Amino acid sequence: MRRSEPAERDETGRSDSAVAAADLVAAIDRAAAERDDPRLLEHLRSEAPTRVLVVHGAVAARAEGEPARLHALAPAEVPEGAEWGFLGRTSLGAAVLVAAFDAHAPEPVAAPGGWGGPRDLGALLSPEEADTLVAAVSLGRWLTGHRFCPTCGGPAALRQAGWSRRCTVCGREHFPRNDPAVIVAITDPQRRRLLLGANANWGGRMHSAFAGFVEAGESLETAIHRELFEEAGVRLTDLRYVSSQPWPYPHSLMLGFEATAIDPAEARPDGTEIVDVRWLTREEVGAALAGDGDVGLPGPASIAHGLIRGWYEEER
């Protein structure tokens, strides 16, 4: 048996793999069982290995250089005024915290590589750091935006290491919001064409899969049928779940589906939310993915992009 080569080590004796893991700000393990310790944040903020991801509104500090990485700070480097939360632990066991600042506050720290959010950094980071960024932004926006009880207006004290609050007046408990939304890639019965729509908010410049929030008392399937008939005039069959994606804009859980249009000729924009609908061939979608043609598509960090690319690549 061939003997393996010794791993390269840095001046501290760590191997290349250990150095790479230590450089990632990735909460691989959410370690949810630790959250019930009422002194957890206080304890972790005093530990030297603890890494902090600073969030300013919906963006986080990026490290300098390439490949793209999140910028970690020691707890003592974070200025006063942050709302703190426990995101979990790295593969090496170090704690990862979020220190969240309101979007309207001045930039709390220097960001060596600038500031970025899931939209612009999600596809550039490692999958582990991308997941951690989404969690940090989602939790951070809730921490800074829900300091008071929505029932009585009383101050809401932090609990469970940032994952819940309890009103100090009426005693009600509050948790981070996670609103379900469906997003659907529609094909014709032969799966040769994909139906995409241009939202009025995009000025008609980009076409994407159709999406909408699930209303109270509504199943995912009912929401899909309602949204697609309202926005694009199509009746659907063969609904198929594909994947999901947490998306902190504002605090959504995107549930991705594929479906088949019963009659492709029924497609038409509602003229309010959707200003254009187009049936695109696989060749047209391929050109758009390559940045060619007159159809713009969502960025690669989004589930919409994944649904579109998944259909495009299934027969390649």
Side-chain angles (χ1 to χ4, degrees), residues 291-305:
D292 299 327
D294 60 348
V295 176
L297 297 179
S302 67
I303 189 173
H305 184 99

Side-chain angles (χ1 to χ4, degrees), residues 10 38 58 68 131 137 170 200 215 231 235 239 250:
D10 70 357
D131 288 346
V137 171
C170 71
E215 294 183 345
E231 294 186 353
R235 294 168 298 131
L239 273 62

Side-chain angles (χ1 to χ4, degrees), residues 99-110:
F101 292 84
D102 190 89
H104 302 294
E107 288 189 3
V109 298

Side-chain angles (χ1 to χ4, degrees), residues 78-306:
V78 179
E80 294 293 323
E83 294 278 358
W84 292 81
F86 173 57
L87 297 177
R89 294 188 178 274
T90 69
S91 60
L92 300 180
V96 181
L97 306 182
V98 59
F101 292 84
D102 190 89
H104 302 294
E107 288 189 3
V109 298
W115 297 86
R119 280 196 181 100
D120 45 346
L121 288 183
L124 304 177
L125 298 169
S126 69
E128 297 82 6
E129 282 205 329
D131 288 346
T132 301
L133 174 60
V134 171
V137 171
S138 300
L139 183 60
R141 294 182 76 184
W142 181 76
L143 289 170
T144 58
H146 295 78
R147 295 185 175 102
F148 298 92
C149 175
T151 302
C152 73
L158 202 64
R159 293 166 55 83
Q160 292 186 302
W163 287 92
S164 71
R165 289 186 182 273
R166 174 174 286 174
C167 178
T168 58
V169 177
C170 71
R172 294 197 64 160
E173 285 191 297
H174 305 284
F175 300 89
R177 286 185 61 173
N178 208 14
D179 297 338
V182 291
I183 181 165
V184 194
I186 309 299
T187 70
D188 65 9
Q190 295 76 34
R191 295 188 66 80
R192 294 173 183 167
R193 295 181 298 163
L194 187 69
L195 182 66
L196 300 179
N199 193 290
N201 292 331
W202 308 328
R205 294 183 299 273
M206 182 174 72
H207 285 67
S208 183
F210 296 87
F213 286 105
V214 181
E215 294 183 345
E218 194 173 43
S219 70
L220 301 180
E221 294 82 1
T222 301
I224 290 170
H225 287 292
R226 174 184 55 78
E227 282 285 345
L228 268 295
F229 187 75
E230 289 175 356
E231 294 186 353
V234 290
R235 294 168 298 131
L236 302 175
T237 187
D238 298 330
L239 273 62
R240 301 173 298 281
Y241 174 76
V242 178
S243 64
S244 64
Q245 180 184 43
W247 198 240
Y249 303 108
H251 29 66
S252 306
L253 176 61
M254 306 299 299
L255 300 152
F257 288 79
E258 287 185 348
T260 303
I262 294 174
D263 182 359
E266 292 178 336
R268 49 97 186 110
D270 65 8
T272 304
E273 289 188 48
I274 304 299
V275 296
D276 183 43
V277 296
R278 294 181 63 172
W279 283 106
L280 299 176
T281 65
R282 198 164 263 106
E283 291 73 22
E284 290 171 321
V285 170
L289 288 168
D292 299 327
D294 60 348
V295 176
L297 297 179
S302 67
I303 189 173
H305 184 99

